[in-house]
Amino acid sequence: MHWREKELLKVLKTGKLTTTEIVGRVNMSKATALKYLDDMKERNLVDGEEIGTTKIWYLKTQEEIVENKIKILVADDDKNVMNIIRYSLDSDKFEILEAANGKEALGMVFARLPDILILDIMMPGMDGYVVCEELKKHDSTKNLPIIILSAKASVDDKVKAMDLGIDDYMIKPFDPRELEARIKMRLKPANGKY
């Protein structure tokens, strides 16, 4: 985030302000402030309303900001994989939820309702196959997009996952750019977020 955006957000934490009031409190021209405010509005960080010829700006609440992000649940017992995904995906677009095993993943799917699940197969307690089977049993989760991300590279493993109704299968090690492209591809028809 640009330092000017941070400056604008800091000022808006005090409450609703007109463009003129904002410009009076920050070190930038009205045109520059409006450029950044409009860009921040597109990213759902701030919002504005017009009252006559005056524009009033205010911060979106944290709940509203998070709601506009795509929620990705990553279920993997390998902390390195979690970190690669967390730091390679754009935090302005994606909210990353983490589960270290299959049971935790199931609980989080029902509690947090992610938009997509990135699922490892080999995890302690409950493997990825069992997680898929459980999710497919429930109306509320049977259509959740699932991308398997696994070191298991055999055709048998891929076929078994596909028989369970997964949407995609990627082999570790993986390129985070490809993972992001596959996430976008899987979400495009479903919810219009892309």
Side-chain angles (χ1 to χ4, degrees):
M1 182 179 287
H2 194 274
W3 65 270
R4 288 184 184 270
E5 292 176 333
K6 289 179 183 170
E7 193 178 358
L8 289 165
L9 288 174
K10 188 175 175 186
V11 168
L12 285 170
K13 282 182 182 166
T14 61
K16 291 186 175 188
L17 297 170
T18 66
T19 307
T20 307
E21 289 173 316
I22 292 169
V23 171
R25 297 182 188 191
V26 294
N27 187 21
M28 62 184 93
S29 70
K30 188 172 185 177
T32 303
L34 284 170
K35 174 184 165 285
Y36 282 104
L37 287 165
D38 285 335
D39 185 54
M40 289 161 65
K41 184 176 180 179
E42 276 182 36
R43 294 186 354 247
N44 288 307
L45 298 173
V46 301
D47 209 347
E49 56 189 312
E50 290 188 32
I51 301 169
T53 57
T54 306
K55 185 119 182 184
I56 308 286
W57 295 93
Y58 52 92
L59 283 178
K60 287 266 200 163
T61 64
Q62 200 57 40
E63 291 77 35
E64 289 174 309
I65 292 169
V66 169
E67 282 308 308
N68 288 311
K69 290 184 181 183
I70 292 167
K71 282 193 273 192
I72 301 172
L73 174 57
V74 181
D76 200 310
D77 58 329
D78 185 339
K79 204 67 182 150
N80 290 330
V81 170
M82 292 282 198
N83 288 335
I84 289 167
I85 294 171
R86 173 173 298 287
Y87 297 117
S88 64
L89 295 178
D90 184 348
S91 62
D92 287 340
K93 291 181 192 167
F94 302 104
E95 177 188 7
I96 308 295
L97 310 171
E98 296 181 8
N101 59 56
K103 282 186 179 168
E104 200 177 308
L106 274 181
M108 288 191 72
V109 166
F110 292 105
R112 301 292 305 274
L113 304 171
D115 295 301
I116 192 165
L117 171 60
I118 310 298
L119 182 63
D120 187 19
I121 293 174
M122 297 180 291
M123 291 184 290
M126 179 187 290
D127 71 22
Y129 294 131
V130 177
V131 173
C132 287
E133 288 169 2
E134 288 299 315
L135 292 174
K136 296 300 176 185
K137 290 179 188 174
H138 301 275
D139 285 342
S140 62
T141 57
K142 69 181 180 187
N143 294 321
L144 174 69
I146 299 171
I147 298 175
I148 296 284
L149 183 61
S150 177
K152 289 178 146 286
S154 79
V155 172
D156 288 342
D157 290 311
K158 293 176 187 176
V159 169
K160 182 175 180 179
M162 287 174 197
D163 286 344
L164 292 170
I166 62 109
D167 297 274
D168 209 342
Y169 198 108
M170 284 184 68
I171 309 289
K172 295 177 186 173
F174 65 102
D175 187 318
R177 296 169 302 174
E178 182 183 356
L179 178 63
E180 183 172 351
R182 288 179 186 236
I183 289 167
K184 290 176 181 177
M185 186 173 69
R186 292 293 156 219
L187 291 176
K188 196 173 275 181
N191 57 20
K193 287 192 178 183
Y194 266 94

